Amino acid sequence: MSEFRGRVPMLLASIICFAVGMGATMFYGIGAFIPSLQSEFGWSRSEISFGATIMSTASLLFGTVVGQLSDRFGAHRVAAASYAAYGAAIMIILPLLGGIGSFWLFSFLVAMMGQGSTPVVLVRPVISAFRTSRGLALGIVATGSGLGAFWVPRVVSEVTAAAGWRAAYLTIGSLAIATAPIAWIWLRDGVSEDKGDAQVDSGAGGYTMRQAARLPRFWVMSAISLAMASAVSGVVIHSVPFLRDDGLDPITAASMASLAGLASMIGRVAMGALLDCFDTVAVSIAALTCAVVGVGVLWVGGAEHAAPALLLVGFAIGAETDMIAFMTARLFGKAHYGVLFGWLFSLFTVGYGLSPFFIGWVRDSWGTYGPAFAICIALLTLSIGLICSLGPHLRRLQFD
């Protein structure tokens, strides 16, 4: 635990940054915005959910770019600029919304500006500053995403009820701008200074992006990132409309969905601590099994059993980012961590974007979420199998 000495301010700042980052606010918020956007504009659930797909496309295009920038210039500079930019983008573009095309453009531009507020940049200081307690440190800072999953649906629903959905978007943008100074001042520890980065990386082993791309395990990790996110993100985002279909009122449905955020906070810390102490493969399989059970219970039990189902799914969501961040350093080293994790997390974000659109399309087309939930369970099972195939590499390769 001596690694934590002197680094608490950086960890606290990281938690705040995770909780207000573009990924947490825009992705976790879209489900709560769906009813209001449907009511005002007449858009379908799949059309609105396609905004998340647009955001994931922006992440795929720009995720590795901000990873390279954080490797070169430091996380604090990239993150601070991004928080200010995506908060301003919300405020500037929001009044221009009209047709569905303008909503999709809004989603793309906000996601592009907000890439520096995602884990691609925010985990970089932790990876460089910690070694023996890296998993626990990752889990602690990533609780911010779970905090976002908890507060965003609630705040969006309550602000929308009091002042309208536009006021809810403006609230998100204002909080992002207010977070920029926090990122600038406190994300410097361990990685953020250029000279410090060079000292840290000069002795670190690892692969460049080109070298890693020649390895089968790089593409297995890519498939895992995409499949895991595709399996769970849409379930959480559509949990509010799913529960409303099952008879719950908007506030109760949003409160129920926020349980996934609370569970993800627990999952992030627990997963990080377990990854430090136990076999990576076994711990990862256990986390994904929770998601399989959770999706199945939600599918069969509906609103009556939604609480335990969303707790299980939320726990797995909390574990997934930790798993990818931890495995990236273990399999490929940290010399070029930003760009490598940037690619893998971009694919993870693509899954986050595709899943809500697909699940919304299934609901619009079939009138039920059942077939989509079955596919989500299949994707989780595939992820478990792929992680098993990486077992020998995860146990043999350690660049620390």
Side-chain angles (χ1 to χ4, degrees):
M1 298 296 288
S2 61
E3 285 187 308
F4 287 87
R5 193 172 298 118
R7 297 189 172 106
V8 172
M10 182 266 284
L11 294 174
L12 292 176
S14 297
I15 291 172
I16 295 171
C17 289
F18 265 88
V20 186
M22 184 277 297
T25 55
M26 299 304 291
F27 279 98
Y28 289 128
I30 195 168
F33 280 114
I34 284 177
S36 298
L37 294 174
Q38 277 188 298
S39 176
E40 180 161 337
F41 297 105
W43 303 332
S44 69
R45 293 185 184 185
S46 59
E47 286 177 325
I48 298 169
S49 298
F50 190 66
T53 306
I54 296 293
M55 287 189 281
S56 69
T57 302
S59 297
L60 181 63
L61 293 175
F62 300 105
T64 53
V65 174
V66 297
Q68 289 175 316
L69 291 174
S70 65
D71 284 340
R72 182 174 180 181
F73 297 109
H76 72 296
R77 295 186 178 95
V78 177
S82 182
Y83 280 100
Y86 100 81
I90 291 175
M91 295 181 173
I92 293 170
I93 304 172
L94 186 63
L96 305 178
L97 289 185
I100 189 64
S102 65
F103 177 72
W104 291 341
L105 179 61
F106 166 77
S107 300
F108 181 84
L109 293 176
V110 170
M112 178 181 69
M113 295 297 183
Q115 283 306 299
S117 68
T118 66
V120 172
V121 173
L122 300 181
V123 303
R124 181 71 163 86
V126 174
I127 291 296
S128 291
F130 290 86
R131 180 181 176 182
T132 58
S133 301
R134 180 178 294 163
L136 178 58
L138 285 170
I140 289 172
V141 300
T143 57
S145 290
L147 185 60
F150 174 71
W151 77 261
V152 171
R154 286 173 171 261
V155 168
V156 168
S157 296
E158 292 177 6
V159 173
T160 298
W165 63 270
R166 289 178 177 82
Y169 266 122
L170 291 175
T171 300
I172 290 173
S174 300
L175 289 172
I177 293 174
T179 304
I182 296 174
W184 177 267
I185 296 170
W186 284 293
L187 290 189
R188 297 169 180 262
D189 187 278
V191 62
S192 54
E193 297 300 330
D194 294 343
K195 183 181 295 185
D197 281 348
Q199 290 173 347
V200 170
D201 289 346
S202 63
Y207 295 96
T208 65
M209 183 67 170
R210 180 175 297 180
Q211 291 170 335
R214 296 173 183 156
L215 302 172
R217 62 178 176 272
F218 177 80
W219 298 106
V220 172
M221 273 300 302
S222 298
I224 291 170
S225 299
L226 181 61
M228 286 195 307
S230 299
V232 295
S233 67
V235 175
V236 174
I237 288 175
H238 278 273
S239 60
V240 172
F242 171 78
L243 293 173
R244 290 188 63 178
D245 286 348
D246 214 34
L248 297 185
D249 64 86
I251 300 299
T252 303
S255 298
M256 191 75 71
S258 69
L259 292 175
L262 287 177
S264 72
M265 295 171 64
I266 298 171
R268 292 177 197 282
V269 177
M271 187 68 178
L274 291 171
L275 286 171
D276 285 334
C277 301
F278 299 102
D279 179 70
T280 305
V281 175
V283 172
S284 301
I285 290 174
L288 294 182
T289 301
C290 288
V292 171
V293 175
V295 175
V297 170
L298 186 65
W299 177 13
V300 175
E304 185 177 354
H305 298 93
L310 288 170
L311 286 171
L312 287 170
V313 173
F315 181 88
I317 288 177
E320 286 179 342
T321 305
D322 284 6
M323 288 161 53
I324 297 172
F326 191 89
M327 290 182 191
T328 301
R330 178 67 62 87
L331 294 172
F332 308 111
K334 61 183 181 180
H336 302 278
Y337 183 86
V339 65
L340 289 165
F341 181 64
W343 165 257
L344 294 173
F345 189 77
S346 294
L347 290 176
F348 186 81
T349 307
V350 167
Y352 252 71
L354 289 174
S355 182
F357 169 71
F358 172 75
I359 291 179
W361 176 81
V362 169
R363 170 60 178 78
D364 290 339
S365 301
W366 293 56
T368 177
Y369 284 101
F373 286 172
I375 293 175
C376 290
I377 291 173
L379 287 172
L380 288 166
T381 304
L382 172 64
S383 300
I384 290 173
L386 292 175
I387 289 173
C388 289
S389 74
L390 289 177
H393 300 294
L394 289 168
R395 297 182 183 105
R396 184 175 68 248
L397 296 173
Q398 295 191 42
F399 287 92
D400 297 329

